[in-house]
């Protein structure tokens, strides 16, 4: 059975059990502060488990694209070393929200596996929760009794809390679970060791394929458990492992999910899978990682240096590194796998096909960039080795190379080993742990339990229509973060405050009590379908009715900027072409940022045209036309643009200004005239094929014009209040250019004379042409002089010093052959000489420079040079 048929069969089976098939949520999560990536099928349904939303259907099924790079078995650095763990994987699942429970979940799982997929019953084992006395939790005898109808008792195994009690996190819904494991070993292997002994023992052919979670408890902040008012089912089956079982393979990578990619890697890299372990690992890493990176880019997450983007960059760079080290590929090649991936998975996930060119270009550019980083890292590593006394390289230095320059630690260790050095891995791990702890501490949120004041099924957002309304607090809790300290999260029965989402910042404002006391709302966010208002203080009487007031000035500025992004999108598609798609945005009250797909830099003329287009729409005074709750298909048919990486429901909100129409949940100006004016501040590249425009509107433009006017007046003042400052500056530039030529000519003549003097003063010591001298040149002059002398004199060892602007400069030039023969390193030498001038520096073994703040130390520094000649 092919993988596509396996996927379709799963969905069809549960459709026959009255489940609605839903599409996969994006793998990249945008509006959940607790997660960067979807790491389980249940993520998109969290609000239903928490009771913060009402599902349209109580039974659903899907295949969810997931990403895991940490946790049990999912450490990024381990993926590829075995044959059944991945970064990106598909999770087949079925859910019940307060509908059926254990009986149906178990019966249907067994029916699908054994009657539909026809897996041999004798290959299957199941586990149940054995109970936990510390939590006062009994053994899951209910699940045990149901399983007894299907499975011999010796195949029903007890599992501990670690393996058989599922939890969403430190707090929230949880419950016992029942895993189904499959034994894919040969009969000879089974005869030697019973499969029951290998369940949950990390055996590559005795693996868990399906986990049935019975959500019936809520974990409170103090660690205690309470029963949920409704019980839910959450199941997850690893698609790749299921394919392995059904296709009778011993490895996920031998299934048709991966073999097309592996064949293409073999062709591109001229390697062979299955002949050498390190080659096999490298090919598995690349095949796995290209999937993770491609799906992330398709869902709107580009590689970057922060947050989710950093995770994607790490994954891609790990794949590049394995190709570089083990397949000897020193040029970009992973981008060539994109077409194969799209061919194999584009039908199930059409976003891959739609974003194919973007994925291709981004990966290619990232490969170029990281290969340059590797080249730079190799030079830096050579410098570290040269400075090392003994044969063990500092773990702290290796960590700096890893953390600052992105140079992989295992590549560092490999190169050191080849050169006869070892790495202080303990010190490296210590530095790495410190960094992780700093990162965790910075982002950690300590949250208490919610105190519920009144039950309220749904918190209504009324902020499209009003900025002030009476509200009641329905629940609250205290949180603590390192950055903000103690705060309170408040939930109202209804709210005019817009929660951060869709690129737009959350509203600020205040609550006013009946007695006039004011409590400031510092931010508004959305979490698990709750609109959460952040405040530093709590009102004394929480049962009162308060007046919620949004900061009008901030909201109106934000609305103007958000509206401007719509007009900007329209302008770019009109002027540059309809290939332009929005790839991200950030809308603040003070400015807007807009990312879009385009193959080249936007020219100044095009930017001017874009500005004029947007301002023309502002002058037309176009009114806001809003359609709420319109069917998605109808909105698209009417011309609305659905935005990149967003997941839409059946009913959507469409926003129109003239001919601009987009699906959008944000807040907007009532009329384009409210924007006043639109001004582009910058245009730049974000990634290959992705450009970014930053712009301002309204008050910010007014301030910009005032600042520009002040700058112009200052310039005119410097130019004796000329009426034509541009012409005056042009004249100055011409004069300056002429003076520069004269100066360069004089300096060249000076250097020629000084070079002759230095050449005459060279001293021969043990066959080395040596000189240490102070000269009157800047850093560039010293470098030119050093290399000119080096080109004329063999075995040159030259140290020059200079005083410039109250500071000291030192340089060291060593003939390359001399440096190698005598094991000399210019970088090490200037770093040590730099102590005399209260500074430091570095460079390459044959040329390096140092700077310092103590010119009086130059004499001593020059006097100390001869000791390096031996």
């Amino acid at each position: 059975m092919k993988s596509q048929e396996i996927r379709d069969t799963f969905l069809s089976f549960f459709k026959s059990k009255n489940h609605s098939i839903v599409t996969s949520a994006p793998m990249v999560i945008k509006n959940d502060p607790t997660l960067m990536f979807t790491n389980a099928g249940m993520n998109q349904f969290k609000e239903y488990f928490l009771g913060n939303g009402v599902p349209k259907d109580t039974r659903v099924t899907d295949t969810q694209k997931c990403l895991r790079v940490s946790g049990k078995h999912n450490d990024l650095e381990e993926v590829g070393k075995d044959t059944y763990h991945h970064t990106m994987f598909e999770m087949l699942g079925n859910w019940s929200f307060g509908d059926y429970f254990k009986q149906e979940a178990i019966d249907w799982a067994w029916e699908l596996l054994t009657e539909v997929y026809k897996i041999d019953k004798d290959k299957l084992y199941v586990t149940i929760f054995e109970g936990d006395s510390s939590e006062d939790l009994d053994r899951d005898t209910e699940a045990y009794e149901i399983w007894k109808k299907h499975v011999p008792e010796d195949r029903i195994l007890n599992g501990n809390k670690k393996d058989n009690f599922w939890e969403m996190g430190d707090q929230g819904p949880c419950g016992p679970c029942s895993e189904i494991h499959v034994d894919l070993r040969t009969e000879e292997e089974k005869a030697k060791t019973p499969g029951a002994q290998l369940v949950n023992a990390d055996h590559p052919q005795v693996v868990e394929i399906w986990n049935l979670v019975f959500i019936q408890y809520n974990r409170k902040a103090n660690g205690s458990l309470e029963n949920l008012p409704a019980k839910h089912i959450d199941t997850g089956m690893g698609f790749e492992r299921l394919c392995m079982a059904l296709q009778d393979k011993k490895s996920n990578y031998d299934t048709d999910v991966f073999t097309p990619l592996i064949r293409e890697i073999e062709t591109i890299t001229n390697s062979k899978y299955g002949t050498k372990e390190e080659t096999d690992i490298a090919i598995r890493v690349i095949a796995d990682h290209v999937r993770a990176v491609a799906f992330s880019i398709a869902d709107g997450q580009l590689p970057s240096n922060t947050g989710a983007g950093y995770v994607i960059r790490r994954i891609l760079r790990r794949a590049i590194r394995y190709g570089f080290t083990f397949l000897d590929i020193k040029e970009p090649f992973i981008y060539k796998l994109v077409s194969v991936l799209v061919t194999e998975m584009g039908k199930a996930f059409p976003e891959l096909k739609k974003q194919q060119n973007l994925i291709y270009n981004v990966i290619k550019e990232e490969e170029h960039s990281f290969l340059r980083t590797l080249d730079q890292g190799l030079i830096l590593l050579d410098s570290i080795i040269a400075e090392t006394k003994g044969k063990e390289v500092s773990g702290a230095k290796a960590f700096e190379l890893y953390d600052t320059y992105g140079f992989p630690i295992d590549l560092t260790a490999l190169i050191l080993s080849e050169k006869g050095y070892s790495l202080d891995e303990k010190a490296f791990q210590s530095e790495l742990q410190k960094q992780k702890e700093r990162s965790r501490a910075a982002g950690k949120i300590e949250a208490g339990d919610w105190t519920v004041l009144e039950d309220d099924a749904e918190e209504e957002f009324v902020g499209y229509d009003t900025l002030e309304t009476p509200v009641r607090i329905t629940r609250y809790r205290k949180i603590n973060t390192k950055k903000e300290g103690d705060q309170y999260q408040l939930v109202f029965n209804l709210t005019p405050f817009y929660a951060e989402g869709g690129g737009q910042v959350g509203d600020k404002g205040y609550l006013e009590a009946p007695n006039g006391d004011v409590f400031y709302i510092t931010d508004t966010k959305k979490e698990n379908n709750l609109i959460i208002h952040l405040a530093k203080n709590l009102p004394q009487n929480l049962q009162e009715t308060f007046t919620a007031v949004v900061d009008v000035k901030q909201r109106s500025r934000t609305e103007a900027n958000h509206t401007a992004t719509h007009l900007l999108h329209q302008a770019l598609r009109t002027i540059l072409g309809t290939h332009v798609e929005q790839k991200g945005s950030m809308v603040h009250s003070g400015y807007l940022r807009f990312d879009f797909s385009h193959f080249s830099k936007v020219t100044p003329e095009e930017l001017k045209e874009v500005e004029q287009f947007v301002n023309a729409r502002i002058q037309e005074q176009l009114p806001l036309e809003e359609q709420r709750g319109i069917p998605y298909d109808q909105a698209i048919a009417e011309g609305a643009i659905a935005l990149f990486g967003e997941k839409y429901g059946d009913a959507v909100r469409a926003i129109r200004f003239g001919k601009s129409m987009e699906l959008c949940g944000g807040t907007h100006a009532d009329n384009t005239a409210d924007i006043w004016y639109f001004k582009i501040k910058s245009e730049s590249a974000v990634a290959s094929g992705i450009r970014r425009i930053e712009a301002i509107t309204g008050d910010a433009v007014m301030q910009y014009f005032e600042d520009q006017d002040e700058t112009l007046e200052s310039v005119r003042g410097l130019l004796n209040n000329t009426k034509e400052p541009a012409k005056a500056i042009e004249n100055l530039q011409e004069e300056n250019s002429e003076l520069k030529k004269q100066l360069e000519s004089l300096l060249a003549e000076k250097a020629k004379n000084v070079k002759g003097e230095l050449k005459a003063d060279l001293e021969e010591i043990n066959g080395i042409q040596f000189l240490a001298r102070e000269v009157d040149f800047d850093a560039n002059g010293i470098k030119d002089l050093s290399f000119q002398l080096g080109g004329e004199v063999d075995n040159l060892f030259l140290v020059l010093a200079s005083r410039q602007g109250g500071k000291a400069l030192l340089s060291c030039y060593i003939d390359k052959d001399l440096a190698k023969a005598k094991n000399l390193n210019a970088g090490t030498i200037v770093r040590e000489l730099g102590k005399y001038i209260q500074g430091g520096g570095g460079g390459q073994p044959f040329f390096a420079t140092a700077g310092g703040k103590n010119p009086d130390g130059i004499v001593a520094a020059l006097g100390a040079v001869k000791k390096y000649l031996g």
Side-chain angles (χ1 to χ4, degrees):
M1 190 180 284
K2 297 291 186 182
S3 57
Q4 182 66 51
E5 186 183 352
I6 292 169
R7 185 189 292 114
D8 292 343
T9 298
F10 180 91
L11 298 175
S12 297
F13 176 82
F14 281 102
K15 185 177 181 181
S16 74
K17 305 297 184 185
N18 299 315
H19 288 64
S20 295
I21 300 174
V22 298
T23 58
S24 171
M27 196 166 73
V28 180
I29 297 177
K30 295 185 176 180
N31 297 318
D32 187 340
T34 65
L35 278 176
M36 288 192 289
F37 300 100
T38 297
N39 62 6
M42 54 72 60
N43 290 155
Q44 67 169 310
F45 307 118
K46 279 168 65 176
E47 62 187 272
Y48 306 140
F49 296 136
L50 291 164
N52 298 332
V54 179
K56 176 185 173 186
D57 302 294
T58 57
R59 298 181 180 188
V60 298
T61 185
D62 77 348
T63 179
Q64 173 65 52
K65 48 195 176 183
C66 301
L67 184 72
R68 292 182 186 173
V69 290
S70 62
K72 181 186 175 185
H73 300 309
N74 291 101
D75 184 84
L76 177 59
E77 295 304 325
E78 297 301 316
V79 172
K81 294 179 181 178
D82 68 22
T83 59
Y84 57 102
H85 286 107
H86 305 285
T87 50
M88 181 267 166
F89 60 96
E90 282 185 66
M91 185 75 82
L92 302 170
N94 59 288
W95 286 269
S96 163
F97 308 119
D99 190 329
Y100 62 83
F101 201 46
K102 295 180 185 179
Q103 182 76 53
E104 294 88 342
I106 292 172
D107 289 348
W108 290 339
W110 192 254
E111 180 186 348
L112 177 60
L113 291 177
T114 62
E115 296 179 25
V116 179
Y117 287 136
K118 301 191 182 305
I119 296 177
D120 185 346
K121 297 177 183 180
D122 292 337
K123 290 183 177 181
L124 298 173
Y125 293 85
V126 299
T127 64
I128 63 163
F129 179 50
E130 66 184 8
D132 189 303
S133 57
S134 67
E135 297 261 21
D136 198 24
L137 290 169
D138 295 330
R139 182 171 183 257
D140 192 354
T141 53
E142 182 183 359
Y144 179 77
E145 291 299 325
I146 299 169
W147 277 120
K148 273 172 59 178
K149 296 188 304 179
H150 305 293
V151 187
E153 291 185 48
D154 62 350
R155 289 177 174 269
I156 306 174
L157 311 175
N158 286 330
N160 59 25
K161 184 181 170 186
K162 178 184 174 186
D163 290 323
N164 281 84
F165 193 88
W166 181 90
E167 307 209 37
M168 184 185 291
D170 294 336
Q171 295 169 240
C174 55
C177 61
S178 194
E179 300 171 337
I180 304 173
H181 296 251
V182 62
D183 186 349
L184 302 173
R185 296 173 302 152
T186 64
E187 293 304 319
E188 292 78 11
E189 290 173 311
K190 291 177 183 177
K192 291 177 185 176
T193 309
Q197 295 180 17
L198 299 176
V199 167
N200 280 326
D202 293 338
H203 192 286
Q205 271 89 55
V206 183
V207 294
E208 174 198 338
I209 55 170
W210 206 345
N211 190 13
L212 316 179
V213 181
F214 313 124
I215 299 178
Q216 59 191 91
Y217 302 111
N218 179 52
R219 174 79 68 184
K220 301 178 72 175
N222 63 7
S224 63
L225 295 170
E226 62 182 5
N227 288 314
L228 286 171
K231 296 177 180 179
H232 313 290
I233 288 294
D234 162 18
T235 87
M237 176 151 58
F239 173 67
E240 295 79 7
R241 294 185 184 184
L242 178 62
C243 290
M244 176 173 67
L246 295 180
Q247 294 177 7
D248 195 26
K249 302 296 183 182
K250 302 300 182 186
S251 161
N252 290 359
Y253 293 94
D254 293 336
T255 68
D256 69 337
V257 177
F258 286 97
T259 49
L261 284 170
I262 288 174
R263 284 196 298 268
E264 188 69 9
I265 294 168
E266 288 177 315
T267 301
I268 293 170
T269 64
N270 196 28
S271 57
K272 186 67 179 172
Y273 187 69
T275 57
K276 189 178 179 184
E277 185 180 12
E278 66 178 26
T279 300
D280 291 354
I281 291 173
I283 291 175
R284 287 198 294 266
V285 164
I286 294 161
D288 174 275
H289 290 9
V290 70
R291 288 167 23 110
V293 174
F295 272 94
S296 296
I297 295 170
D299 278 347
Q301 182 56 65
L302 301 174
S304 70
N305 287 329
T306 58
Y310 176 67
V311 174
I312 300 308
R313 178 164 282 167
R314 272 186 66 204
I315 293 171
L316 179 54
R317 288 187 167 189
R318 183 170 185 256
I320 298 168
R321 179 207 339 154
Y322 268 83
F324 183 93
T325 305
F326 300 108
L327 303 181
D328 197 33
I329 304 299
K330 312 299 185 189
E331 59 186 26
F333 74 98
I334 295 172
Y335 72 96
K336 297 176 183 177
L337 302 173
V338 172
S339 59
V340 175
L341 181 64
V342 171
T343 299
E344 295 301 317
M345 301 192 74
K347 182 181 177 183
F349 299 98
E351 62 271 23
L352 280 178
K353 192 166 186 63
K354 185 179 180 185
Q355 302 298 336
Q356 181 172 350
N357 288 338
L358 175 65
I359 298 165
Y360 177 96
N361 289 325
V362 169
I363 291 178
K364 186 177 182 181
E365 180 57 36
E366 281 287 313
E367 287 190 86
H368 274 298
S369 175
F370 187 50
L371 288 168
R372 288 193 295 270
T373 295
L374 288 177
D375 286 339
Q376 180 190 17
L378 291 170
I379 293 170
L380 292 169
L381 183 56
D382 283 341
S383 180
I384 290 171
I385 292 171
E387 295 168 16
T388 299
K389 295 174 181 176
K391 287 293 183 179
E392 184 175 66
V393 169
S394 161
K397 286 285 185 185
F399 178 77
E400 182 182 349
L401 196 59
Y402 164 82
D403 189 44
T404 307
Y405 300 99
F407 198 76
I409 189 60
D410 56 349
L411 188 54
T412 297
L414 180 67
I415 293 168
L416 292 179
S417 175
E418 290 172 351
K419 292 179 179 283
Y421 287 80
S422 62
L423 171 67
D424 185 349
E425 291 194 22
K426 188 175 180 181
F428 174 85
Q429 291 298 332
S430 175
E431 293 296 323
L432 183 62
Q433 189 60 34
K434 288 177 191 174
Q435 183 207 49
K436 288 180 177 178
E437 287 170 1
R438 286 193 298 270
S439 178
R440 273 196 295 266
K444 187 179 180 183
I445 298 176
E446 295 178 1
D449 287 322
W450 286 107
T451 299
V452 179
L453 301 177
E454 63 175 84
D455 288 325
D456 188 61
E458 188 174 351
E459 180 185 18
E460 184 184 359
F461 173 64
V462 296
Y464 294 138
D465 304 310
T466 182
L467 299 184
E468 182 176 328
T469 190
V471 302
R472 297 188 310 279
I473 300 173
T474 60
R475 66 173 77 179
Y476 71 92
R477 69 177 176 181
K478 188 176 183 178
I479 65 167
N480 179 274
T481 63
K482 186 174 182 180
K483 182 179 178 181
E484 301 292 343
D486 288 342
Q487 289 180 289
Y488 292 92
Q489 293 182 336
L490 312 177
V491 178
F492 308 148
N493 62 319
L494 54 84
T495 181
F497 288 86
Y498 179 82
E500 179 182 331
Q504 180 176 328
V505 295
D507 280 334
K508 298 180 180 179
Y510 61 88
L511 284 184
E512 185 175 348
N515 65 1
D517 288 345
V518 169
F519 303 89
Y520 289 100
I521 303 298
T522 59
D523 201 358
T524 311
K525 296 184 179 293
K526 198 165 192 177
E527 185 176 328
N528 299 320
N529 206 40
L530 286 178
I531 298 176
I532 293 172
H533 311 78
L534 293 168
K536 292 296 286 185
N537 301 296
L538 273 181
Q540 281 189 331
N541 187 351
L542 294 165
Q543 307 293 338
E544 291 183 310
T545 297
F546 300 87
T547 302
V549 182
V550 174
D551 183 326
V552 177
K553 185 173 284 189
Q554 174 169 294
R555 167 70 88 84
S556 62
R557 288 170 173 167
T558 304
E559 288 177 338
N561 283 332
H562 198 148
T563 304
T565 64
H566 288 232
L567 302 181
L568 173 58
H569 194 189
Q570 182 191 10
L572 291 167
R573 288 174 63 85
T574 301
I575 293 156
L576 302 182
T578 53
H579 65 278
V580 168
E581 289 185 353
Q582 179 176 336
K583 298 299 181 186
S585 68
M586 179 59 70
V587 180
H588 287 263
S589 59
Y591 70 96
L592 65 93
R593 190 180 76 205
F594 189 84
D595 296 344
F596 58 98
S597 56
H598 188 53
F599 45 80
S600 63
K601 180 176 175 61
V602 185
T603 67
E605 294 75 21
E606 288 168 333
L607 287 174
K608 186 174 182 180
E609 202 175 340
V610 168
E611 252 186 23
Q612 290 172 340
F613 182 99
V614 174
N615 283 312
R617 304 293 81 74
I618 293 171
Q619 293 298 314
E620 288 173 7
Q621 301 182 27
L622 301 172
L624 164 65
E625 297 177 53
E626 176 193 25
Q627 292 174 279
R628 297 184 199 171
I630 180 175
Y632 175 84
D633 292 338
Q634 180 185 336
I636 297 301
E638 290 181 12
I641 295 176
L643 299 184
F644 181 56
E646 296 290 338
K647 181 176 172 67
Y648 296 97
D650 296 331
V652 295
R653 180 171 179 256
I655 297 296
R656 184 194 294 272
F657 289 98
K659 293 181 180 179
S660 165
M661 185 177 179
E662 296 186 6
L663 304 184
C664 187
T667 65
H668 305 82
D670 291 330
N671 191 293
T672 59
D674 297 338
I675 301 172
W676 189 72
Y677 198 87
F678 172 81
K679 179 67 184 172
I680 294 174
K681 293 289 294 291
S682 67
E683 190 273 347
S684 60
V686 177
S688 178
I690 304 292
R691 309 298 300 181
R692 171 173 291 172
I693 282 177
E694 294 192 9
I696 50 177
T697 66
D699 293 347
V701 176
M702 198 175 296
Q703 185 62 52
Y704 173 81
F705 287 153
E706 288 177 5
D707 292 343
Q708 293 294 305
D709 195 47
E710 285 183 18
T711 301
L712 178 60
E713 289 304 312
S714 297
V715 170
R716 289 182 61 188
L718 293 170
L719 298 171
N720 298 320
N721 292 315
T722 177
K723 291 182 179 179
E724 297 184 55
K727 182 65 176 173
I729 291 171
E730 191 178 325
N731 291 337
L732 281 175
Q733 286 176 327
E734 289 175 2
E735 289 176 23
N736 189 48
S737 178
E738 187 60 36
L739 288 170
K740 267 187 175 179
K741 288 177 185 176
Q742 294 176 22
L743 182 59
E744 285 169 3
S745 178
L746 290 170
L747 287 173
E749 188 63 31
K750 178 183 176 182
K752 186 177 178 181
N753 294 334
V754 172
K755 184 176 71 173
E757 294 172 8
L758 296 179
K759 208 169 180 180
D761 290 343
L762 286 170
E763 177 184 359
E764 184 173 333
I765 303 174
N766 299 327
I768 298 172
Q769 296 296 319
F770 169 76
L771 182 65
R773 180 68 55 85
E774 183 175 344
V775 294
D776 184 20
F777 285 96
D778 63 12
N780 288 330
I782 287 177
K783 184 177 180 180
D784 289 343
L785 188 57
S786 298
F787 278 86
Q788 284 180 35
L789 272 170
E792 298 175 13
V793 179
D794 292 334
N795 290 334
L796 180 64
F797 187 122
L798 177 68
V799 175
L800 297 178
S802 178
R803 303 166 194 259
Q804 298 287 321
K807 294 184 178 179
L809 294 173
L810 287 173
S811 76
C812 178
Y813 176 95
I814 306 175
D815 180 271
K816 284 187 179 180
D817 292 334
L818 175 63
K820 194 174 289 184
K822 299 283 189 179
N823 197 26
L824 295 169
N825 188 294
T828 303
I829 292 169
V830 295
R831 196 170 290 112
E832 293 177 4
L833 293 177
K835 295 172 184 175
Y836 292 97
I837 58 172
Q838 295 179 20
Q844 295 172 298
F846 59 90
F847 183 76
T849 60
K853 58 185 179 181
N854 179 29
D856 294 336
I858 285 176
V859 174
L862 294 176
V865 177
K866 278 191 178 180
K867 68 181 181 182
Y868 295 104
L869 301 182

